Amino acid sequence: MTDRMPFRQALPWVAAVFLLKLAVQIAFADGYGWFRDEFYYLACADRLSWSYVDHPPLSVVLLKAWRALVGDELVALRILPALVGAAGVGLTAALAWWFGARRLGIVTAGLVALTTPVYLAVHHIVSMNAFETLVWGAAGWLFLDALHTRRRSRWIGLGCVLALGLLNKISVLWLGTGLALAILVTPHRATLRTAGPWIAAGIAMLGLIPNVVWNLAHDLATLEFMVNAVGSKMVDVSPLEFLSGQARTLGPSAPWAVLGLVALAIRPRTRPLAIVYAVVLAILITSGAARSGYLAPAYVWAFAAAGAFLDDVWSRWPRVVPALVLASVMVLGALAAPFAVPVLPVDEYMDYARGAGIEPSTSERKELAELPQWFADMHGWDDMVDAVADAVDRLPLGDRARAGILTMNYGQAGALQRLGRDRDLPPVMSNHNHYWIWGPAPGWDGEVALVLGSSRSFLERHYRSVVEWGRVRCERCMPYENDNPIWLARSLRRPLAETWEAIGHYD
């Protein structure tokens, strides 16, 4: 790392992988349509808060600013995660340069990150997850630089990155734990006698303040959400299943991740990042319900290290070998891409998946049909809006004037608000996550409700009259969204405030 090429010589290659990643993400940005969570993020952007039940505020604030610039059409919104993802891939290539890579190593690191399936997926949609590769990559780089230069500015930069990361996703606490232990178990613990690490930690903790203050004012709602999600929503995962899930998540990039982790571990200057990875891995393995993708942002460091390692090896090989390796990265990445982003039409995708022997999967306790949950959650929303709009049109005039639409999950509510905004629908609400905190719509007395996603027995505990008023049928959506009754519920048994308090749920 002491004999690096000038960065101005590396910059064109870093820029090239940035632009290629951006082009790939934008090329498939419309895909199968809106993803469930994107509707929720838009709803949150309409109601800025210091925090939310299920995520901190930064991604929502950035979405609101982006929407003000470009509007809220699907492709325009998805340019934001595409840009962030491209920056993450560019950072991977730049980190390879910092590790000592020259042209081939820089390009290799960038292309491996670009073609990694989990990165293609998280940079396809608007969500807090799109920012993780950028946060973890920058934090790892600043951490190593701070350890080796002892410059206070690097520690300050690390603290700022971690604070922003915590404003985006609480899982950055895992990263912070890994960084702290990597200092303690290496000779770098001597830095604890300096101000730098403590300044970084203090700045980082500032990123938790909005979330902590908000939760103290809302009965620790995020903690309740996490407990419920682990207990009733997420599939239990054994340590072996979590490890095998890494291979599925990374696809053809898995060997590069292994090579890079070894390269990090064998070099004393980069070993702290290998320790950080091991700590985070241990935390996730012992949690019992972690998704395999939770570890994905840490592989930015591994891909960069792999690129730098191979640069040393390639100097002894014929030039044709690196060319073949890079070609294989692109080919294997292209073969894996249809499982991460909507590259193929749905029918062709299903044939492709069957031919590869890949069954639909989910990390949640949900029934599946023909598609994995990742793709199924991009289907059925227009059908749902049409069915609800038809049910509204058939309401008697007296009911129509007093009606509200109540859904049982945030995806349904968000889709009705975004896709149904020109359909003259009654106010839309939900009892799920932050929608429940937003409460009943102003002016709605609760006496007439069109309810989607509930059971008759649940509604009859709260309403005196419950009649099926329609049905949602959607092709290729999640099974629990298909053949859903739309209930017309009238006459609350208790005051609306009491009823609303009773029906809320976080998961």
Side-chain angles (χ1 to χ4, degrees):
M1 290 193 295
T2 57
D3 188 26
R4 289 192 291 262
M5 66 189 292
F7 187 67
R8 66 178 180 274
Q9 295 179 19
L11 184 58
W13 303 103
V14 172
V17 295
F18 169 90
L19 293 172
L20 183 57
K21 165 73 170 179
L22 182 62
V24 169
Q25 296 291 163
I26 292 177
F28 305 107
D30 55 347
Y32 299 145
W34 292 88
F35 183 74
R36 173 188 301 276
D37 290 4
E38 291 177 299
F39 296 122
Y40 185 42
Y41 278 86
L42 283 173
C44 291
D46 287 331
R47 307 167 177 88
L48 290 184
S49 173
W50 286 107
S51 193
Y52 299 87
V53 170
D54 37 11
H55 53 82
L58 182 61
S59 59
V60 174
V61 173
L62 293 174
L63 172 59
K64 187 176 183 69
W66 183 255
R67 185 177 63 178
L69 289 174
V70 304
D72 65 354
E73 295 303 317
L74 181 60
V75 173
L77 288 176
R78 284 183 174 171
I79 293 174
L80 175 60
L83 281 168
V84 174
V89 167
L91 180 65
T92 306
L95 185 56
W97 162 81
W98 193 84
F99 285 159
R102 303 184 74 82
R103 181 186 63 182
L104 285 173
I106 291 168
V107 172
T108 300
L111 290 182
V112 171
L114 187 156
T115 55
T116 299
V118 65
Y119 295 168
L120 289 171
V122 298
H123 298 141
H124 177 67
I125 65 168
V126 175
S127 81
M128 61 182 171
N129 299 325
F131 297 87
E132 286 190 291
T133 51
L134 197 54
V135 169
W136 286 55
W141 188 344
L142 287 166
F143 178 61
L144 288 184
D145 209 34
L147 291 177
H148 296 301
T149 66
R150 303 291 182 94
R151 293 179 184 172
R152 185 171 293 183
S153 61
R154 300 298 191 269
W155 290 110
I156 292 172
L158 175 60
C160 291
V161 168
L162 293 175
L164 289 171
L166 288 168
L167 283 169
N168 178 65
K169 196 169 181 180
I170 298 175
S171 60
V172 170
L173 286 172
W174 305 331
L175 172 59
T177 302
L179 296 174
L181 288 177
I183 294 175
L184 285 171
V185 303
T186 64
H188 294 294
R189 56 183 167 272
T191 62
L192 294 175
R193 293 194 292 269
T194 68
W198 305 104
I199 292 172
I203 295 172
M205 289 301 100
L206 295 176
L208 279 178
I209 290 176
N211 189 277
V212 170
V213 171
W214 182 89
N215 269 279
L216 290 174
H218 291 84
D219 301 319
L220 302 181
T222 300
L223 179 61
E224 182 180 344
F225 160 78
M226 291 190 291
V227 170
N228 291 344
V230 171
S232 61
K233 180 180 178 181
M234 305 302 297
V235 173
D236 294 332
V237 179
S238 70
L240 184 59
E241 289 170 331
F242 183 81
L243 289 173
S244 64
Q246 297 308 296
R248 291 192 300 273
T249 297
L250 295 171
S253 299
W256 294 95
V258 174
L259 174 63
L261 290 170
V262 172
L264 287 173
I266 63 178
R267 293 179 173 178
R269 290 177 67 86
T270 60
R271 191 170 297 148
L273 283 187
I275 294 171
V276 175
Y277 174 88
V279 170
V280 177
L281 174 63
I283 292 171
L284 294 175
I285 282 180
T286 56
S287 72
R291 299 183 182 186
S292 58
Y294 288 171
L295 195 54
Y299 293 110
V300 166
W301 315 325
F303 296 151
F309 177 82
L310 282 179
D311 237 359
D312 294 338
V313 176
W314 279 340
S315 62
R316 308 180 210 117
W317 290 354
R319 289 190 175 185
V320 69
V321 175
L324 290 174
V325 171
L326 290 178
S328 70
V329 169
M330 296 301 291
V331 170
L332 292 174
L335 292 174
F339 301 108
V341 287
V343 173
L344 301 173
V346 178
D347 290 332
E348 292 181 26
Y349 165 78
M350 291 190 293
D351 291 339
Y352 188 74
R354 282 192 290 266
I358 295 178
E359 298 292 328
S361 62
T362 177
S363 59
E364 299 180 3
R365 299 176 186 179
K366 298 284 196 307
E367 178 188 354
L368 293 173
E370 301 171 307
L371 292 174
Q373 184 173 4
W374 166 239
F375 286 153
D377 270 337
M378 298 179 193
H379 287 81
W381 303 115
D382 288 312
D383 296 323
M384 184 199 71
V385 173
D386 288 342
V388 171
D390 178 68
V392 169
D393 289 342
R394 292 186 289 103
L395 285 173
L397 288 179
D399 287 342
R400 174 69 177 85
R402 301 182 66 186
I405 298 173
L406 177 63
T407 76
M408 297 294 110
N409 69 63
Y410 63 64
Q412 296 167 344
L416 286 166
Q417 288 184 320
R418 171 59 184 83
L419 302 180
R421 63 187 179 186
D422 298 324
R423 305 291 290 269
D424 192 27
L425 299 178
V428 177
M429 298 153 281
S430 179
N431 63 341
H432 187 208
N433 288 7
H434 217 93
Y435 264 102
W436 179 73
I437 289 179
W438 291 326
W444 182 62
D445 61 10
E447 291 299 314
V448 179
L450 282 174
V451 185
L452 176 62
S454 180
S455 65
R456 181 189 291 272
S457 59
F458 175 83
L459 288 177
E460 286 179 340
R461 292 201 297 270
H462 303 288
Y463 281 90
R464 294 184 178 85
S465 170
V466 178
V467 178
E468 184 172 329
W469 201 252
R471 198 160 277 265
V472 175
R473 292 182 173 86
C474 51
E475 186 179 7
R476 294 172 177 145
C477 59
M478 285 294 288
Y480 72 88
E481 297 284 12
N482 189 26
D483 205 30
N484 250 349
I486 302 171
W487 305 101
L488 175 57
R490 297 185 181 96
S491 184
L492 282 169
R493 295 182 182 275
R494 293 181 292 174
L496 176 59
E498 293 181 23
T499 302
W500 194 262
E501 184 68 24
I503 66 174
H505 66 104
Y506 303 145
D507 62 36

